[in-house]
mmCIF file of all heavy atoms in Angstrom:
data_model
loop_
_atom_site.group_PDB
_atom_site.id
_atom_site.type_symbol
_atom_site.label_atom_id
_atom_site.label_comp_id
_atom_site.label_asym_id
_atom_site.label_seq_id
_atom_site.Cartn_x
_atom_site.Cartn_y
_atom_site.Cartn_z
ATOM 1 N N LEU B 111 -7.663 24.580 -0.394
ATOM 2 C CA LEU B 111 -7.613 23.619 0.732
ATOM 3 C C LEU B 111 -6.272 22.980 0.781
ATOM 4 O O LEU B 111 -5.762 22.799 1.921
ATOM 5 C CB LEU B 111 -8.734 22.431 0.357
ATOM 6 C CG LEU B 111 -8.734 21.238 1.247
ATOM 7 C CD1 LEU B 111 -9.082 21.725 2.644
ATOM 8 C CD2 LEU B 111 -9.776 20.270 0.821
ATOM 9 N N THR B 112 -5.631 22.710 -0.357
ATOM 10 C CA THR B 112 -4.334 22.038 -0.209
ATOM 11 C C THR B 112 -3.360 23.013 0.524
ATOM 12 O O THR B 112 -2.670 22.575 1.420
ATOM 13 C CB THR B 112 -3.750 21.848 -1.651
ATOM 14 O OG1 THR B 112 -4.687 21.028 -2.283
ATOM 15 C CG2 THR B 112 -2.368 21.159 -1.592
ATOM 16 N N GLN B 113 -3.405 24.299 0.162
ATOM 17 C CA GLN B 113 -2.474 25.274 0.850
ATOM 18 C C GLN B 113 -2.713 25.344 2.302
ATOM 19 O O GLN B 113 -1.787 25.240 3.161
ATOM 20 C CB GLN B 113 -2.729 26.590 0.231
ATOM 21 C CG GLN B 113 -1.698 26.991 -0.785
ATOM 22 C CD GLN B 113 -2.022 28.342 -1.349
ATOM 23 O OE1 GLN B 113 -3.166 28.810 -1.373
ATOM 24 N NE2 GLN B 113 -1.081 28.938 -1.989
ATOM 25 N N VAL B 114 -4.000 25.393 2.678
ATOM 26 C CA VAL B 114 -4.258 25.500 4.137
ATOM 27 C C VAL B 114 -3.804 24.230 4.964
ATOM 28 O O VAL B 114 -3.213 24.232 5.992
ATOM 29 C CB VAL B 114 -5.875 25.685 4.475
ATOM 30 C CG1 VAL B 114 -6.106 25.764 5.893
ATOM 31 C CG2 VAL B 114 -6.244 27.022 3.796
ATOM 32 N N LEU B 115 -4.023 23.076 4.282
ATOM 33 C CA LEU B 115 -3.652 21.811 4.926
ATOM 34 C C LEU B 115 -2.104 21.740 5.048
ATOM 35 O O LEU B 115 -1.567 21.224 5.996
ATOM 36 C CB LEU B 115 -4.141 20.577 4.135
ATOM 37 C CG LEU B 115 -5.695 20.421 4.069
ATOM 38 C CD1 LEU B 115 -6.076 19.260 3.137
ATOM 39 C CD2 LEU B 115 -6.096 20.099 5.540
ATOM 40 N N GLU B 116 -1.459 22.251 4.062
ATOM 41 C CA GLU B 116 0.010 22.265 4.145
ATOM 42 C C GLU B 116 0.486 23.201 5.240
ATOM 43 O O GLU B 116 1.427 22.791 5.981
ATOM 44 C CB GLU B 116 0.725 22.736 2.824
ATOM 45 C CG GLU B 116 0.720 21.653 1.664
ATOM 46 C CD GLU B 116 1.253 22.256 0.417
ATOM 47 O OE1 GLU B 116 1.411 23.401 0.198
ATOM 48 O OE2 GLU B 116 1.220 21.351 -0.490
ATOM 49 N N GLU B 117 -0.066 24.348 5.394
ATOM 50 C CA GLU B 117 0.351 25.234 6.457
ATOM 51 C C GLU B 117 0.002 24.595 7.824
ATOM 52 O O GLU B 117 0.862 24.738 8.736
ATOM 53 C CB GLU B 117 -0.421 26.631 6.353
ATOM 54 C CG GLU B 117 0.018 27.426 5.173
ATOM 55 C CD GLU B 117 -0.495 28.903 5.428
ATOM 56 O OE1 GLU B 117 -0.454 29.358 6.447
ATOM 57 O OE2 GLU B 117 -0.876 29.474 4.317
ATOM 58 N N LEU B 118 -1.099 23.985 7.888
ATOM 59 C CA LEU B 118 -1.455 23.326 9.086
ATOM 60 C C LEU B 118 -0.390 22.304 9.559
ATOM 61 O O LEU B 118 0.032 22.133 10.645
ATOM 62 C CB LEU B 118 -2.906 22.609 8.896
ATOM 63 C CG LEU B 118 -3.439 21.887 10.192
ATOM 64 C CD1 LEU B 118 -3.547 22.800 11.335
ATOM 65 C CD2 LEU B 118 -4.795 21.349 9.805
ATOM 66 N N GLU B 119 0.114 21.496 8.490
ATOM 67 C CA GLU B 119 1.054 20.497 8.648
ATOM 68 C C GLU B 119 2.374 21.138 9.218
ATOM 69 O O GLU B 119 3.066 20.675 10.171
ATOM 70 C CB GLU B 119 1.195 19.709 7.412
ATOM 71 C CG GLU B 119 2.169 18.465 7.553
ATOM 72 C CD GLU B 119 1.645 17.623 8.660
ATOM 73 O OE1 GLU B 119 0.486 17.490 8.978
ATOM 74 O OE2 GLU B 119 2.621 16.906 9.338
ATOM 75 N N VAL B 120 2.687 22.295 8.551
ATOM 76 C CA VAL B 120 3.956 22.951 8.932
ATOM 77 C C VAL B 120 3.772 23.346 10.426
ATOM 78 O O VAL B 120 4.690 23.154 11.313
ATOM 79 C CB VAL B 120 4.155 24.138 8.129
ATOM 80 C CG1 VAL B 120 5.231 25.101 8.693
ATOM 81 C CG2 VAL B 120 4.664 23.730 6.754
ATOM 82 N N GLU B 121 2.724 23.946 10.832
ATOM 83 C CA GLU B 121 2.468 24.471 12.203
ATOM 84 C C GLU B 121 2.509 23.248 13.203
ATOM 85 O O GLU B 121 3.043 23.430 14.326
ATOM 86 C CB GLU B 121 1.246 25.171 12.328
ATOM 87 C CG GLU B 121 1.265 26.589 11.676
ATOM 88 C CD GLU B 121 2.578 27.494 12.163
ATOM 89 O OE1 GLU B 121 2.790 27.555 13.343
ATOM 90 O OE2 GLU B 121 3.187 28.051 11.294
ATOM 91 N N ARG B 122 1.864 22.190 12.713
ATOM 92 C CA ARG B 122 1.937 21.033 13.709
ATOM 93 C C ARG B 122 3.331 20.546 13.934
ATOM 94 O O ARG B 122 3.675 20.292 15.020
ATOM 95 C CB ARG B 122 1.103 19.861 13.053
ATOM 96 C CG ARG B 122 -0.409 20.196 13.087
ATOM 97 C CD ARG B 122 -1.169 18.852 13.193
ATOM 98 N NE ARG B 122 -2.634 19.121 13.439
ATOM 99 C CZ ARG B 122 -3.608 18.735 12.534
ATOM 100 N NH1 ARG B 122 -3.319 18.117 11.451
ATOM 101 N NH2 ARG B 122 -4.877 19.149 12.915
ATOM 102 N N LYS B 123 4.053 20.475 12.896
ATOM 103 C CA LYS B 123 5.448 20.069 13.172
ATOM 104 C C LYS B 123 6.161 20.976 14.023
ATOM 105 O O LYS B 123 6.974 20.618 15.069
ATOM 106 C CB LYS B 123 6.244 19.921 11.742
ATOM 107 C CG LYS B 123 5.755 18.878 10.925
ATOM 108 C CD LYS B 123 6.865 17.937 10.286
ATOM 109 C CE LYS B 123 6.409 16.696 9.747
ATOM 110 N NZ LYS B 123 5.799 16.865 8.406
ATOM 111 N N ARG B 124 5.961 22.292 13.886
ATOM 112 C CA ARG B 124 6.637 23.264 14.707
ATOM 113 C C ARG B 124 6.238 23.083 16.131
ATOM 114 O O ARG B 124 7.064 23.214 16.984
ATOM 115 C CB ARG B 124 6.184 24.682 14.235
ATOM 116 C CG ARG B 124 7.233 25.394 13.400
ATOM 117 C CD ARG B 124 6.832 26.801 13.030
ATOM 118 N NE ARG B 124 7.218 27.753 14.226
ATOM 119 C CZ ARG B 124 6.415 28.497 14.825
ATOM 120 N NH1 ARG B 124 5.127 28.699 14.306
ATOM 121 N NH2 ARG B 124 6.821 29.282 15.769
ATOM 122 N N GLY B 125 4.931 22.819 16.285
ATOM 123 C CA GLY B 125 4.469 22.625 17.655
ATOM 124 C C GLY B 125 5.124 21.455 18.282
ATOM 125 O O GLY B 125 5.543 21.513 19.550
ATOM 126 N N GLU B 126 5.315 20.373 17.583
ATOM 127 C CA GLU B 126 5.988 19.297 18.133
ATOM 128 C C GLU B 126 7.451 19.638 18.443
ATOM 129 O O GLU B 126 7.997 19.214 19.585
ATOM 130 C CB GLU B 126 6.040 18.037 17.091
ATOM 131 C CG GLU B 126 4.746 17.305 17.150
ATOM 132 C CD GLU B 126 4.750 16.222 16.020
ATOM 133 O OE1 GLU B 126 5.814 15.779 15.689
ATOM 134 O OE2 GLU B 126 3.628 16.062 15.526
ATOM 135 N N ALA B 127 8.053 20.328 17.576
ATOM 136 C CA ALA B 127 9.418 20.650 17.850
ATOM 137 C C ALA B 127 9.498 21.536 19.091
ATOM 138 O O ALA B 127 10.445 21.414 19.928
ATOM 139 C CB ALA B 127 10.079 21.387 16.617
ATOM 140 N N LEU B 128 8.659 22.455 19.198
ATOM 141 C CA LEU B 128 8.589 23.352 20.441
ATOM 142 C C LEU B 128 8.439 22.592 21.614
ATOM 143 O O LEU B 128 9.069 22.737 22.761
ATOM 144 C CB LEU B 128 7.578 24.484 20.191
ATOM 145 C CG LEU B 128 7.815 25.585 19.285
ATOM 146 C CD1 LEU B 128 6.658 26.418 18.982
ATOM 147 C CD2 LEU B 128 8.974 26.442 19.834
ATOM 148 N N ASP B 129 7.584 21.586 21.672
ATOM 149 C CA ASP B 129 7.396 20.735 22.797
ATOM 150 C C ASP B 129 8.571 19.994 23.098
ATOM 151 O O ASP B 129 8.953 19.775 24.315
ATOM 152 C CB ASP B 129 6.290 19.666 22.384
ATOM 153 C CG ASP B 129 4.839 20.298 22.684
ATOM 154 O OD1 ASP B 129 4.820 21.303 23.453
ATOM 155 O OD2 ASP B 129 3.854 19.613 22.263
ATOM 156 N N GLU B 130 9.204 19.533 22.098
ATOM 157 C CA GLU B 130 10.465 18.727 22.295
ATOM 158 C C GLU B 130 11.471 19.677 23.031
ATOM 159 O O GLU B 130 12.175 19.274 23.975
ATOM 160 C CB GLU B 130 10.992 18.152 21.048
ATOM 161 C CG GLU B 130 12.254 17.294 21.019
ATOM 162 C CD GLU B 130 12.018 16.204 22.132
ATOM 163 O OE1 GLU B 130 10.945 15.577 22.145
ATOM 164 O OE2 GLU B 130 13.002 15.966 22.889
ATOM 165 N N MET B 131 11.578 20.889 22.599
ATOM 166 C CA MET B 131 12.623 21.764 23.120
ATOM 167 C C MET B 131 12.176 22.048 24.598
ATOM 168 O O MET B 131 13.149 22.035 25.424
ATOM 169 C CB MET B 131 12.508 23.122 22.419
ATOM 170 C CG MET B 131 13.430 23.189 21.280
ATOM 171 S SD MET B 131 13.214 24.811 20.350
ATOM 172 C CE MET B 131 14.183 25.835 21.382
ATOM 173 N N ARG B 132 10.960 22.133 24.818
ATOM 174 C CA ARG B 132 10.532 22.443 26.213
ATOM 175 C C ARG B 132 10.885 21.324 27.096
ATOM 176 O O ARG B 132 11.402 21.421 28.212
ATOM 177 C CB ARG B 132 9.016 22.651 26.159
ATOM 178 C CG ARG B 132 8.355 23.006 27.503
ATOM 179 C CD ARG B 132 8.564 24.492 27.935
ATOM 180 N NE ARG B 132 8.413 24.658 29.315
ATOM 181 C CZ ARG B 132 7.395 24.819 30.040
ATOM 182 N NH1 ARG B 132 6.133 24.778 29.297
ATOM 183 N NH2 ARG B 132 7.321 25.081 31.298
#
Side-chain angles (χ1 to χ4, degrees):
Chain B
L111 178 59
T112 304
Q113 259 174 341
V114 178
L115 288 176
E116 276 170 5
E117 286 198 41
L118 182 57
E119 188 53 30
V120 165
E121 287 307 314
R122 284 210 173 120
K123 293 226 166 79
R124 262 188 78 228
E126 277 173 36
L128 285 168
D129 272 346
E130 184 51 43
M131 275 176 77
R132 182 82 203 276

